[in-house]
Amino acid sequence: MGCIRSGLTLTGLAGLVRVLFFKDGLGSEKPMKIQYVPFSKLPYTDTCWSLIEGPDERAYAVACCEHSSGGTGFITRYDPATRRLEYLLDVAETVGQPSDNGRATQCKIHYSMVADDDGILYAATHLSGPAIDQPNYNPWGTFDDPLRSFVGSQLLAYDIARDKVLWTDTLIPHEGCRCFALDRQRRLLYAVGYPRDHFYVYQLDSRRRTDLGRIGSVNPQAIWMDQRGRAYTTDDYGRIIVCQPADGGGWRLIDTDTYAPHAIYQNGWHNVAYDVVAVPGTDAVAGAAWNVDPHLFLLTHHDELADMKMENLGPSSPGIDGYGDRGFNGDHCGGLVFSAGGELLYCASLSDTSGSVFPSRSAMLKAINLQTHRVRDICQLTDNAGVEIPYISRTIRIGPRHLVMGVVGQMPTGILHVELDGELAQGPLAATPRRYWG
């Protein structure tokens, strides 16, 4: 399926909308609109990591400020049907840690936001932003400093129907929260903290936290659930780690013998899970690693952990040979979501390392058939001025047509709205898929 640029532009909420055309299986041309929606009221925001769909068929995205001194995160809401962007709340002010308090800031929410079926959104903050009078922040150097340290990952519960904060709490003292998952039945949050890389269980009703210990040095970027209520993540080498109830009460972590796939020229280090999405109608997930030359995988869960099946779906961007100067933030795969027809859509970025001290990146929307492993390019992702979007963190789908993506690498940051058409918007999975992990 080819993709050609058109000179046609439309006026929209964020400015010009670039219209791209692709050919469906019958050879006819169908329009596909791509609109970059910047967080224009927050000009210093630089990343958008957390993005989740609500039961109200709207997108909830966090405008983050992870590099600038005194920057804080802001939760926004976007309705793809009306293209309306709302600014809901300043996270730092909400949790009682304003940007000018002299501490490392509540600068972002990093893969740690979910919304349950009752419309309660849970979000936990992460660290990296320096205090308002500091040029940078070292989480080790001031870990528990009484005046300068990051006070800890702050958790908030927000009623999206009433636009009301219900309560706040400290999820992890002195640490940020890299990612979490929601167990709806047991009302638990599973989280990984940074920088110590400990695994936590948080009970929403009692607001009690249990520390299950350290799982490595490289933070995983995803925790996910199976249909039995077990939580999964990865260690530094991509080994699958499972959290399940322990005999006699509590929880325990189990190291399995199952590993996420990686390129043959690597030893597996830094092959932590980056993005994971449930395969519709099954007890399986598809995922991508946070690594140079990231590979996609299909993991099927079973009653017995020893029966788990890991399948290598191959590299997200075939053709990388392992030579040259590459990095795991340049070679990127994220934004996984299934189309209405059942294909796995994802966004792959590659660094152009030729002749530049600062390599450029560009993101491509791709699709893979899980049965045949056939990969096809859907379209290059561009912003409203024709500049290529460098990096997509997460993608959600609202109904059969609307993809909303978190953008990293633009300033101010924002979201990308891709309106699918033709065969990409058709199929038995038209209803909005719900995701219960960040």
Side-chain angles (χ1 to χ4, degrees):
M1 178 168 59
C3 178
I4 57 176
R5 298 175 185 250
S6 167
L8 176 64
T9 58
L10 304 175
T11 301
L13 176 67
L16 299 178
V17 180
R18 183 165 297 274
V19 180
L20 302 174
F21 292 90
F22 65 89
K23 291 185 177 181
D24 63 18
L26 300 177
S28 60
E29 289 189 347
K30 301 290 184 181
M32 184 165 63
K33 302 174 185 176
I34 298 180
Q35 181 181 10
Y36 180 55
V37 183
F39 301 132
S40 55
K41 292 185 179 181
L42 305 167
Y44 295 106
T45 55
D46 47 31
T47 49
C48 177
W49 301 112
S50 277
L51 175 69
I52 199 71
E53 72 284 343
D56 56 356
E57 300 287 284
R58 291 181 287 184
Y60 291 81
V62 183
C64 304
C65 193
E66 64 176 24
H67 299 299
S68 299
S69 302
T72 62
F74 216 102
I75 296 179
T76 71
R77 176 166 56 208
Y78 179 72
D79 186 343
T82 63
R83 301 183 183 271
R84 181 188 180 198
L85 178 67
E86 299 174 83
Y87 297 82
L88 299 182
L89 59 90
D90 183 315
V91 174
E93 295 290 340
T94 299
V95 301
Q97 294 293 323
S99 61
D100 59 355
N101 68 357
R103 293 184 177 274
T105 60
Q106 304 288 317
C107 65
K108 59 185 174 181
I109 294 172
H110 195 285
Y111 307 143
S112 301
M113 184 168 69
V114 298
D116 67 16
D117 296 332
D118 296 324
I120 307 304
L121 182 146
Y122 300 99
T125 61
H126 190 36
L127 59 79
S128 73
I132 197 167
D133 60 348
Q134 298 291 309
N136 53 58
Y137 175 63
N138 183 331
W140 289 114
T142 55
F143 186 81
D144 57 356
D145 185 288
L147 299 177
R148 289 295 188 180
S149 74
F150 184 69
V151 72
S153 176
Q154 301 299 294
L155 176 66
L156 64 90
Y158 182 79
D159 187 326
I160 64 177
R162 294 187 292 163
D163 284 335
K164 180 181 179 181
V165 177
L166 303 180
W167 52 265
T168 66
D169 193 14
T170 296
L171 178 62
I172 313 171
H174 304 305
E175 294 190 75
C177 182
R178 180 73 90 172
C179 56
F180 73 30
L182 172 67
D183 183 335
R184 291 171 289 158
Q185 284 69 39
R186 298 174 180 85
R187 291 189 51 75
L188 302 173
L189 290 175
Y190 299 96
V192 172
Y194 174 87
R196 296 191 305 161
D197 208 19
H198 283 221
F199 192 98
Y200 298 93
V201 182
Y202 182 89
Q203 296 166 267
L204 285 168
D205 292 332
S206 65
R207 302 191 198 173
R208 295 180 59 187
R209 176 186 64 253
T210 301
D211 184 350
L212 298 183
R214 190 175 181 181
I215 62 173
S217 297
V218 182
N219 270 165
Q221 309 290 292
I223 302 171
W224 66 95
M225 307 288 298
D226 69 10
Q227 294 179 355
R228 298 156 196 80
R230 297 182 298 210
Y232 296 72
T233 191
T234 53
D235 71 4
D236 294 356
Y237 286 85
R239 179 202 297 266
I240 303 298
I241 298 174
V242 183
C243 179
Q244 68 177 26
D247 295 337
W251 301 269
R252 63 188 180 117
L253 292 178
I254 301 172
D255 293 336
T256 73
D257 293 325
T258 302
Y259 289 78
H262 56 79
I264 59 172
Y265 55 81
Q266 298 168 351
N267 66 1
W269 183 78
H270 213 286
N271 206 51
V272 297
Y274 182 83
D275 193 6
V276 178
V277 62
V279 180
T282 74
D283 193 13
V285 295
W290 186 31
N291 205 347
V292 176
D293 193 3
H295 280 223
L296 294 158
F297 62 82
L298 178 67
L299 177 67
T300 304
H301 308 119
H302 289 280
D303 290 336
E304 299 297 327
L305 294 178
D307 295 332
M308 280 191 302
K309 180 183 178 183
M310 175 68 76
E311 186 176 357
N312 185 359
L313 299 178
S316 59
S317 297
I320 298 175
D321 58 14
Y323 295 96
D325 184 15
R326 312 202 69 90
F328 47 77
N329 286 323
D331 296 341
H332 170 70
C333 179
L336 277 60
V337 69
F338 279 90
S339 71
E343 283 186 300
L344 176 62
L345 306 178
Y346 66 93
C347 301
S349 299
L350 284 177
S351 293
D352 179 6
T353 59
S354 59
S356 175
V357 177
F358 301 102
S360 62
R361 291 179 297 180
S362 59
M364 173 75 72
L365 178 62
K366 294 172 175 269
I368 182 171
N369 183 299
L370 295 189
Q371 284 70 48
T372 65
H373 296 192
R374 175 176 173 259
V375 177
R376 55 181 181 145
D377 293 343
I378 302 300
C379 198
Q380 195 79 29
L381 298 176
T382 64
D383 71 9
N384 50 36
V387 179
E388 295 175 340
I389 295 297
Y391 187 111
I392 297 297
S393 54
R394 292 291 189 261
T395 297
I396 61 171
R397 178 166 62 84
I398 305 293
R401 297 171 52 207
H402 299 289
L403 300 183
V404 182
M405 303 176 176
V407 174
V408 175
Q410 299 291 103
M411 193 169 177
T413 193
I415 54 179
L416 197 67
H417 181 182
V418 178
E419 191 171 342
L420 302 175
D421 208 337
E423 41 122 3
L424 280 174
Q426 299 170 3
L429 306 175
T432 300
R434 292 301 312 283
R435 176 169 169 150
Y436 300 99
W437 52 81

